Amino acid sequence: LLFGVGLAYALAARKSGSPFYRAGLGLALATALLLTWGSLALGIIGSEDNPANWMYAGVLAVAFIGALLARLRAQGMARALFATALAQAVVTVIALVVVKDLEVFEVLALNAFFAALWAGSAALFLRAQAEPERRPGRRSHA
């Protein structure tokens, strides 16, 4: 997982020289890694054995498909990651309605944390889209 996230960052970070773009990309990939690890190894909805944790695969699919559709462009990535934050919220609602005997505060807090990370990444991409494009490796002498 760590190697895959590092490789994805190295390949996709070439898309822009913006520090906001790179920060947004890093935050999105770190969030995906934490969500995968948290849902499969620890369990966000109940224990790691609870099949409801597989709903997070849908959240990750929204992020991945959105990034593909956006072709990693900042504005499209912002939209994709806001949609991912919304998908995270939808999973929370489904879990609270369908799954019995949950620690409500724990599920709400963890999912709010992940939704905030997705939205923060989206905000960084919006900021990257608003600034003038700089090529990676070049410094501006203004």
Side-chain angles (χ1 to χ4, degrees):
L1 277 174
L2 290 175
F3 177 76
V5 167
L7 182 62
Y9 179 81
L11 293 173
R14 295 187 211 178
K15 188 79 176 160
S16 174
S18 165
F20 294 104
Y21 183 96
R22 290 172 184 247
L25 179 64
L27 183 57
L29 290 170
T31 303
L33 176 69
L34 285 173
L35 183 61
T36 301
W37 175 68
S39 64
L40 296 179
L42 303 174
I44 295 173
I45 301 172
S47 74
E48 69 275 4
D49 297 328
N50 191 330
N53 283 300
W54 284 98
M55 287 191 289
Y56 294 111
V59 174
L60 295 171
V62 169
F64 182 74
I65 293 168
L68 289 177
L69 292 174
R71 296 186 198 146
L72 299 176
R73 289 186 295 244
Q75 185 176 14
M77 289 296 290
R79 289 179 181 153
L81 291 163
F82 278 129
T84 304
L86 180 61
Q88 186 84 39
V90 168
V91 165
T92 307
V93 170
I94 292 170
L96 292 174
V97 169
V98 174
V99 180
K100 303 297 181 215
D101 300 325
L102 285 181
E103 295 290 333
V104 173
F105 178 75
E106 182 179 309
V107 171
L108 282 174
L110 283 170
N111 282 286
F113 171 73
F114 282 110
L117 291 176
W118 293 122
S121 178
L124 287 166
F125 278 110
L126 280 178
R127 179 69 171 89
Q129 189 258 335
E131 79 174 3
E133 181 65 26
R134 291 191 320 228
R135 302 307 300 162
R138 294 220 166 153
R139 294 184 184 200
S140 128
H141 297 287

